[in-house]
Amino acid sequence: MRFDRYRVYQVWDLFIVLSVALVAVEIPLRLVLGDTPSLSLTALDVAIPLILLLDALAQWYRPEPVQPRARASRLASARVAWLSLDLLAAIPFELLASATMLPLLHLVKLARVAQLMRHWRQQAVQHANVLRLAFFIYWLLLTAHWLACGWLALGGNTTLADQVVVYGFRRYLRALYWSITTLATIGYGDLTPTTDAQIAFTMTVMLLGVGVYGYVIGNVTSILANIDMTRRHYLENMERLGAFMRYRNIPPLLQQRLRGYYAHLWENQLGGYDESSVLADLPDSLRVEVALFLRRDFIEQAPLFQSASDELVREIALQLRPVVYTPGDYIMRTGQYGRHMYFISRGTVEVIAADGHTVVATLTGGEFFGEVALLFSQPRNASIRAVDYCNLYVLDKDTFDQILARYPVFAAHIREEAEKRRPQPTPA
Ligand code: CMP
């Protein structure tokens, strides 16, 4: 398997986000519950700064995406600032001064986590909503935990009996219960503040809870609704289509074909986004890359492109326009004048002779048709009918002519094929 640096960084980033969560849980908890030195805690004291130090280096040497020159100086100072923050977080405070609050400084690393999350969301456009939800839960759980720690620090949730009996983990569990019920604005009232500090703290958490509640109502519902946006888009389109067809009394058979067409678009991941308009919005260099990627299967299977130069393949990939035909559709008819030739990406078509019923050939993925009329400026010499759903790419005559003029070897190849298919149409 090839060493993929990008993948390694992805896994490392995930590891860091989880490690920092562990740090953000463990350090405040240890501060409020008191230090109970054990082997695992000591191991953690060594492991945490080490991991954070490794990450400081990893982030410093991270291959950044190419930045425009004007921003280079700003970028350099931002990188130094981030490095300082990473290094600060990596200082082994526990080993230097464990009894103090200093270990809390590890938590500045959360700024890096927030930055990584932003980066992921930008990168994973497709799953941006799922990530948004996951990150929201991450921060919500951490907040609930911190508030529970704050509650413990203020000596909260201790009924008289608890004060005597409840220690350690069970004390924390109660505090977490208090923080979640208060944060979720449920507030059963079984754990109530008694001191002034506790009352002030509880009020603050209640206000925060109202904010969180508002956020959940406003955003989480829309996140959940958007998670499968393309599918929703498809279903909405189908519903609109259904209403339209009923309203206009479209015959049942035609209705079936229309539904089949959209279902085909959906299944082939062609629905929802118009490939050409997405490409049209891109800058040149990206457009070529994306067009080549989208059309890679087709280009790889087409014998015509096997011997073509990279330059030619890039040019053709850019100029192709995708179209879909449903079973039984006539893509062209004998005797018509045509200004396009077609490449088959997926599906099968029949070449029907001028008599209207003899099938002279069947063409499938990777093959092309409609070149004869363009090459010899003559009417179509046969009809072409789609046998099943066909994903085709269209090339218009002007581009076709330009390409033939510039790539003689390719032109010879096409001409040779066209000569074999050339017989003149016999008048029907
Ligand atoms: P054109 O004449 O532009 O339109 C009809 C197309 O059918 C023609 O170009 C060829 O590409 C294709 N065609 C015609 N005859 C044959 C054949 N015998 N075998 C394969 N394809 C053909």
Side-chain angles (χ1 to χ4, degrees):
M1 206 177 75
R2 207 167 60 84
F3 175 74
D4 185 345
R5 217 162 145 185
Y6 180 71
R7 234 329 84 112
V8 174
Y9 264 98
Q10 269 185 336
V11 175
W12 176 256
D13 286 348
L14 180 66
F15 174 66
I16 285 299
V17 167
L18 296 178
S19 305
V20 175
L22 178 71
V23 173
V25 168
E26 193 261 339
I27 290 175
L29 196 61
R30 210 195 297 184
L31 279 177
V32 291
L33 288 185
D35 212 355
T36 43
S38 71
L39 192 63
S40 60
L41 283 185
T42 326
L44 218 58
D45 291 344
V46 179
I48 288 170
L50 210 64
I51 291 171
L52 294 178
L53 182 68
L54 268 179
D55 185 59
L57 296 176
Q59 300 298 345
W60 178 255
Y61 288 109
R62 190 187 191 103
E64 297 286 335
V66 186
Q67 300 286 337
R69 283 193 83 174
R71 287 182 53 204
S73 64
R74 243 182 61 203
L75 196 79
S77 50
R79 285 189 67 203
V80 172
W82 277 109
L83 178 69
S84 323
L85 184 135
D86 284 338
L87 289 176
L88 172 69
I91 297 174
F93 301 104
E94 295 86 342
L95 303 179
L96 303 175
S98 71
T100 65
M101 304 272 270
L102 272 181
L104 279 178
L105 278 176
H106 282 312
L107 301 196
V108 294
K109 191 72 182 179
L110 285 166
R112 186 58 112 172
V113 168
Q115 193 211 31
L116 284 178
M117 288 181 171
R118 233 186 346 264
H119 178 71
W120 284 356
R121 270 176 53 188
Q122 278 167 2
Q123 293 297 310
V125 185
Q126 246 186 334
H127 306 292
N129 279 311
V130 181
L131 287 183
R132 225 171 113 193
L133 192 64
F135 297 160
F136 172 69
I137 293 171
Y138 179 96
W139 292 115
L140 187 68
L141 291 181
L142 276 188
T143 310
H145 168 74
W146 291 327
L147 294 174
C149 290
W151 184 242
L152 281 180
L154 294 175
N157 90 343
T158 39
T159 59
L160 211 54
D162 282 350
Q163 249 165 15
V164 187
V165 183
V166 181
Y167 297 102
F169 178 71
R170 292 190 61 204
R171 249 183 88 202
Y172 168 72
L173 194 66
R174 270 150 217 248
L176 190 64
Y177 164 77
W178 169 87
S179 104
I180 288 179
T181 46
T182 314
L183 203 57
T185 68
I186 294 170
Y188 287 124
D190 49 350
L191 296 173
T192 45
T194 41
T195 66
D196 289 350
Q198 287 174 5
I199 292 176
F201 188 64
T202 306
M203 285 192 304
T204 317
V205 178
M206 282 172 171
L207 287 180
L208 191 68
V210 173
V212 170
Y213 191 70
Y215 181 87
V216 171
I217 296 293
N219 285 277
V220 175
T221 38
S222 96
I223 294 176
L224 288 177
N226 282 342
I227 277 180
D228 204 353
M229 209 154 84
T230 33
R231 179 159 182 84
R232 205 183 57 174
H233 182 74
Y234 165 72
L235 291 176
E236 271 173 17
N237 270 351
M238 289 304 250
E239 247 167 60
R240 209 171 313 134
L241 179 75
F244 169 80
M245 292 189 303
R246 277 193 305 277
Y247 180 63
R248 301 302 295 262
N249 286 328
I250 307 273
L253 215 60
L254 196 53
Q255 285 201 19
Q256 219 174 356
R257 286 186 63 192
L258 276 172
R259 282 187 203 281
Y261 168 74
Y262 282 109
H264 172 78
L265 288 191
W266 167 252
E267 278 158 24
N268 287 271
Q269 294 154 13
L270 301 168
Y273 302 99
D274 174 13
E275 191 176 311
S276 307
S277 69
V278 171
L279 284 177
D281 284 342
L282 296 176
D284 286 352
S285 55
L286 264 183
R287 191 183 318 150
V288 178
E289 292 304 320
V290 177
L292 277 176
F293 175 78
L294 289 176
R295 291 147 196 192
R296 68 195 181 288
D297 288 343
F298 156 68
I299 290 172
E300 274 164 20
Q301 69 171 343
L304 189 64
F305 296 121
Q306 296 310 312
S307 50
S309 67
D310 280 357
E311 199 192 339
L312 171 62
V313 168
R314 291 168 94 84
E315 193 159 336
I316 290 197
L318 257 189
Q319 302 294 344
L320 295 175
R321 184 169 54 83
V323 283
V324 172
Y325 284 91
T326 60
D329 284 349
Y330 274 86
I331 301 158
M332 55 183 64
R333 288 182 192 267
T334 312
Q336 283 177 335
Y337 281 87
R339 290 197 52 82
H340 300 102
M341 75 166 288
Y342 297 80
F343 295 92
I344 306 174
S345 167
R346 204 184 286 183
T348 309
V349 299
E350 284 173 339
V351 182
I352 300 167
D355 62 12
H357 48 81
T358 317
V359 175
V360 292
T362 308
L363 306 174
T364 60
E367 294 182 281
F368 60 89
F369 58 85
E371 78 295 357
V372 177
L374 304 194
L375 268 177
F376 305 108
S377 302
Q378 64 175 51
R380 300 291 190 195
N381 69 7
S383 299
I384 305 281
R385 188 174 56 201
V387 176
D388 47 14
Y389 284 101
C390 289
N391 301 350
L392 308 179
Y393 284 113
V394 188
L395 194 65
D396 67 73
K397 180 168 165 50
D398 294 340
T399 320
F400 177 78
D401 288 343
Q402 281 170 22
I403 287 177
L404 290 201
R406 292 192 13 232
Y407 300 94
V409 179
F410 181 72
H413 210 92
I414 276 209
R415 221 168 249 127
E416 190 187 324
E417 191 67 26
E419 283 293 353
K420 287 188 223 155
R421 300 169 164 185
R422 194 177 175 191
Q424 294 293 315
T426 43

